[in-house]
Amino acid sequence: MQQVQALLFDVFGTVVDWRSGVIRDVTAVAGRAGAPLDAARFADQWRAGYRPAMDLVRSGQLPWTKLDGLHRRVLDELAGEFGLAGLPAAELDWLNTCWHRLDPWPDAVPGLARLRQRYVLAAFSNGNVALLVNMAKRAGLPWDAILSAELFRRYKPDPQTYLGAVELLSLDPARVMLVAAHNDDLSAAADLGLATGFLPRPAEHGPGQQANLAPTREYTVVATDLTDLATQLGT
Amino acid sequence: MQQVQALLFDVFGTVVDWRSGVIRDVTAVAGRAGAPLDAARFADQWRAGYRPAMDLVRSGQLPWTKLDGLHRRVLDELAGEFGLAGLPAAELDWLNTCWHRLDPWPDAVPGLARLRQRYVLAAFSNGNVALLVNMAKRAGLPWDAILSAELFRRYKPDPQTYLGAVELLSLDPARVMLVAAHNDDLSAAADLGLATGFLPRPAEHGPGQQANLAPTREYTVVATDLTDLATQLGT
């Protein structure tokens, strides 16, 4: 752990609270349209559609598509189902960028600020570069670099994303730690020799969340949140 | 100009003073070795060797090599010529990373801080990602993103670097401005439809500099330095 020099952060769920942000913005859009809906269900279905859309890219059925584009594919399907199909185009465009306007968990900015004093901090996300840049500016996330999956035109958990980030940092894998609230992401990183830091985000999926409440294998560090991680990493 | 949303910055010479930084660190190394040398000539020759080394990559004679690697090729040649060939390896390793430890011009950090309030700011340099990240952390350069040539495995002025950066920002070229102290860089960007901002750095090459003292074609903005650019861009 002493040898770690850079921290890669999963973003959606680990650093920012996507569910509350999507609920907030779809509620605003539906309110303006006079078309009330179950905003929590909308948010959950939008997020649930992301993995199958991404898998179309990962399997080669769809050419490389930025996450903004995948979000839009799912949104266009959901809009009909939730009575938003008649929205003005500008409203749908704005709603699709709600993923750029997500709020950080309360511990995220203070934790990252402390960690940044000693480590290189990079966003390491399937979010595209513009999404992550806009999010960081709005939320005050103090990244040293944006190492988006878009740089590699591969989505996590493709090994080329983890190894690509490590190569761009000019470090050995053991000197780079992936920090995430998701066991599948951490497991892929651990298999490639990266250090790993798990923290649970029990409210990520709202009440009743079952997955990722605890580590499912041994990680380099297990923390309660990002300020606890900062403490455990000596900052 | 109203439509510009993101600013790409050339770094070496435009944002940081490479010549003084190289002189400082090679003087320190030579002093420790008891091998005095003409540090200014050393710095100028090291920088002069960068373009031919890069052209070996651009022409395909050398496979993709990070700028740290190109710097090392030139350094290993110069070390013999300047009486540093017997240096301990750790000293040569340290000297090669002097490009990570360059100081900004005095107007750079205040100018960038103002510009960042309204624009997305990205380092856009032939420097590799780790070099640019280390430099930014040490010097306090407030980048929103590091859009290194390394991301494209092409060196400026290859069109794919400018267009690649624009694509990662999800913007049209006209909404992106290249800011640089070098006419060749700006000319390549202008030919691809980017906005352009020139500022002279008359001390970049030390006393007697002849090139890049003034714009050689029409640019979107011509400023005296980065604080003047901030003023002209309304920040």
Side-chain angles (χ1 to χ4, degrees), chain A residues 66 119 137 144 167 170, chain B residues 66 119 137 144 167 170:
Chain A
K66 296 184 193 222
Y119 300 95
K137 278 186 98 77
D144 293 305
E167 165 67 15
S170 300
Chain B
K66 297 185 193 222
Y119 300 95
K137 277 186 98 76
D144 293 304
E167 164 67 13
S170 299

Side-chain angles (χ1 to χ4, degrees), chain A residues 92-163:
Chain A
L92 278 176
D93 291 347
W94 182 80
L95 182 54
N96 198 56
T97 57
C98 73
W99 301 91
H100 301 214
R101 294 184 298 271
L102 303 177
D103 291 326
W105 299 108
D107 53 283
V109 172
L112 293 175
R114 285 169 56 192
L115 289 162
R116 197 185 191 197
Q117 296 168 17
R118 183 179 301 187
Y119 300 95
V120 170
L121 307 189
F124 177 65
S125 167
N126 283 336
N128 45 294
V129 170
L131 182 162
L132 294 168
V133 165
N134 291 341
M135 175 195 286
K137 278 186 98 77
R138 178 184 173 281
L141 304 174
W143 304 128
D144 293 305
I146 304 283
L147 299 181
S148 164
E150 186 184 10
L151 302 184
F152 316 109
R153 294 184 160 240
R154 307 268 179 170
Y155 279 115
K156 291 195 287 180
D158 190 303
Q160 295 184 47
T161 58
Y162 304 88
L163 297 177

Side-chain angles (χ1 to χ4, degrees), chain B residues 114-131:
Chain B
R114 286 169 56 191
L115 289 161
R116 197 186 189 195
Q117 295 168 19
R118 183 178 301 188
Y119 300 95
V120 169
L121 307 189
F124 178 65
S125 166
N126 283 336
N128 46 293
V129 171
L131 182 161

